Amino acid sequence: MFKHILLPTDGSDLSLRAAKLGIDLAKTCGARVYALHVVAPYHTISYMAEMLAATEITYTQDATARAEHYLAEVRRLAEAAGVACSTEYVFDDRPHEAIINTAREQHCDLAVMASHGWRGITRLLLGSEVHKVLLESEIPVLVCR
């Protein structure tokens, strides 16, 4: 059925539960998984270039360390289940586009994502990356809540 499942993760407990579900599904289907974490690039305006460079370096180091931590957790779960797992983190302002592009580039045939269930003004202000992926994805998307 499915051969290569994309598991986007933001490091939250909910996305980790979605990753577990995706790994269980992969084990059942004999598929492999590809975990992805999208990091927002550093943006700021500063009047001192030295401050900007130091802050950007610190941000990038911290964001990379967090991404590695989140992806290591998914790798650990996949290894425990006996499922082949590759991981990657990317820097992108538009997580939904990074997810869709990764699915295409890695030839994934399913994405398993968590929905945070935001409603009202929170959803309006923050948007829903899952919703954007659902609208633009070329592959099926399994949404977990």
Side-chain angles (χ1 to χ4, degrees):
M1 189 174 185
F2 298 112
K3 300 293 180 201
H4 198 192
I5 300 173
L6 180 62
L7 305 175
T9 182
D10 63 7
S12 67
D13 290 340
L14 194 56
S15 72
L16 191 57
R17 283 196 342 228
K20 288 177 187 175
L21 179 70
I23 291 167
D24 290 344
L25 181 60
K27 184 173 183 170
T28 300
C29 296
R32 58 196 161 111
V33 297
Y34 194 88
L36 173 71
H37 179 72
V38 183
V39 180
Y42 180 78
H43 294 289
T44 191
I45 298 172
S46 176
Y47 67 94
M48 293 179 56
E50 297 82 20
M51 280 180 60
L52 183 62
T55 306
E56 183 176 6
I57 290 168
T58 303
Y59 171 82
T60 301
Q61 290 171 342
D62 290 346
T64 301
R66 276 192 310 278
E68 288 291 345
H69 174 74
Y70 301 152
L71 295 171
E73 184 65 20
V74 176
R75 256 192 321 272
R76 184 188 64 75
L77 293 169
E79 287 173 11
V83 173
C85 178
S86 300
T87 63
E88 174 186 27
Y89 63 87
V90 295
F91 286 83
D92 200 313
D93 277 326
R94 297 166 306 279
H96 73 283
E97 288 184 12
I99 292 166
I100 291 167
N101 290 338
T102 299
R104 187 178 303 120
E105 291 166 5
Q106 296 299 321
H107 307 288
C108 296
D109 49 14
L110 174 70
V112 178
M113 300 179 67
S115 171
H116 290 278
W118 289 324
R119 300 191 196 300
I121 193 73
T122 306
R123 180 173 176 166
L124 181 65
L125 293 174
L126 297 176
S128 169
E129 296 305 318
V130 173
H131 185 248
K132 293 172 191 171
V133 171
L134 283 168
L135 291 174
E136 298 179 27
S137 179
E138 299 165 358
I139 62 172
V141 180
L142 176 60
V143 180
C144 306
R145 285 190 76 184

